[in-house]
Amino acid sequence: MTTLIEFLDSKPIEMNRRQLVKGLAAGYIVALGGCVQNQQLGRQQLLLVSEAQMTQLSASAWNQIRQQKKVSTNQTLNRRLNTVGPKLVQAAGLQNQPWEYTVFQGNEANAFVLPGGKVGFYEGIFKRMENDDQLATVLGHEIAHVAARHSAERYSQQVAAGTAMQAAQIGLQSGDVSGASQIAAILGAGVQFGILLPYSRTHELEADRLGVTYMHKSGYDPRQSLRFWQNMSAQRSGGAPPPEFMSTHPSDQTRISALRQHLTALGYQV
């Protein structure tokens, strides 16, 4: 018996049960189709969805956020965000697409940028920033996710992994594979911890690196990125963080160490 795995933007592939199980366990199935070279990142990406599709999905999500969250009336915060943002967008080479900068009410220390240039910052994140250089740290990081097409890559990984896992379960259950349910469960854990989450940590470190580069190009002090993350690490509360291999974000130590290396490569003394 063979299983057909279809991708959004490439030809389908046909594999027998043994190849499917072996491929999932090794982690290479998600990289079989739709891979393109990203010059900015210096590596290949699995992209099974177009930029237009991601922008459409993001527009829908943005509309929901705007309906559910209250927009901040703090003119100072909105002015700061709208001043720093365009400089970093210019440095990232993304000035040809429309950008919208919005500050939302709330004490969450959170910020995000959606494909299509929708920027959302919560009032709470500003309380963790000592200056506009640190604002540029966070915003540069988020803009880097857009420039690197991380959302499209993450979406593609989940589509590919979900399709492959479903195909594997069908193939295992319909064949003469002993312990099919146990094997499928192990493969699921392998996909989750071996592929999806590590890629998220890679995305975060890549966004840190690109964001610092944008700061450097737009006249902000990249060394403030290091101070910002050191302060964030010191302010964390709520107990010990999860083990790094089970997290979608790198540990504070990993992130700070990577930033030091990149700042040194740019010629800064840290």
Side-chain angles (χ1 to χ4, degrees):
M1 174 183 174
T2 58
T3 300
L4 191 69
I5 301 178
E6 296 185 359
F7 295 95
L8 299 182
D9 296 333
S10 61
K11 296 180 180 180
I13 58 173
E14 188 171 320
M15 306 181 74
N16 61 38
R17 288 195 306 272
R18 185 177 298 276
Q19 291 172 321
L20 188 58
V21 172
K22 185 177 180 180
L24 279 165
Y28 63 70
I29 281 183
V30 297
L32 286 175
C35 286
V36 298
Q37 181 70 22
N38 187 313
Q39 298 299 327
Q40 191 166 186
L41 296 177
R43 66 172 177 84
Q44 285 195 330
Q45 290 182 295
L46 177 69
L47 297 176
L48 307 179
V49 60
S50 70
E51 192 69 19
Q53 288 173 308
M54 289 304 300
T55 298
Q56 185 177 7
L57 291 171
S58 297
S60 177
W62 180 251
N63 290 334
Q64 292 181 11
I65 294 170
R66 291 294 299 256
Q67 292 173 3
Q68 296 170 0
K69 300 293 183 180
K70 293 183 178 180
V71 175
S72 173
T73 57
N74 189 312
Q75 294 183 359
T76 299
L77 298 184
N78 277 282
R79 183 172 59 254
R80 289 175 64 190
L81 186 61
N82 279 273
T83 299
V84 174
K87 297 178 182 178
L88 295 168
V89 167
Q90 178 79 23
L94 300 176
Q95 65 274 17
N96 292 329
Q97 67 182 58
W99 287 81
E100 181 179 348
Y101 307 92
T102 303
V103 179
F104 293 102
Q105 294 181 15
N107 290 321
E108 300 97 316
N110 197 20
F112 62 91
V113 178
L114 300 178
K118 306 301 183 183
V119 180
F121 271 58
Y122 287 91
E123 293 171 330
I125 191 69
F126 286 91
K127 298 176 182 178
R128 274 74 170 181
M129 299 169 181
E130 299 173 340
N131 48 51
D132 279 356
D133 295 291
Q134 293 186 12
L135 171 56
T137 295
V138 178
L139 186 50
H141 171 97
E142 297 300 333
I143 290 173
H145 281 309
V146 175
R149 297 200 65 189
H150 283 157
S151 293
E153 185 176 24
R154 180 71 166 161
Y155 182 88
S156 299
Q157 290 163 0
Q158 292 176 337
V159 168
T163 300
M165 279 306 305
Q166 184 178 25
Q169 290 175 347
I170 294 173
L172 288 167
Q173 293 170 1
S174 63
D176 56 351
V177 181
S178 60
S181 59
Q182 290 86 349
I183 293 174
I186 292 171
L187 290 175
V191 169
Q192 180 72 0
F193 295 114
I195 299 171
L196 299 182
L197 296 185
Y199 266 92
S200 292
R201 295 196 298 272
T202 297
H203 289 173
E204 291 300 310
L205 294 175
E206 287 176 339
D208 283 348
R209 174 174 56 81
L210 290 175
V212 165
T213 300
Y214 302 155
M215 292 175 68
H216 176 77
K217 290 182 178 180
S218 55
Y220 292 102
D221 184 359
R223 293 169 296 184
Q224 287 294 318
S225 64
L226 190 61
R227 180 170 176 81
F228 173 79
W229 287 114
Q230 288 171 334
N231 289 342
M232 287 290 287
S233 179
Q235 294 173 18
R236 291 193 190 281
S237 59
E244 183 174 356
F245 80 95
M246 295 182 66
S247 173
T248 59
H249 285 61
S251 69
D252 292 335
Q253 182 178 1
T254 297
R255 167 169 267 153
I256 290 171
S257 176
L259 277 172
R260 285 186 185 277
Q261 293 180 21
H262 187 53
L263 288 169
T264 300
L266 288 174
Y268 291 93
Q269 297 293 326
V270 292

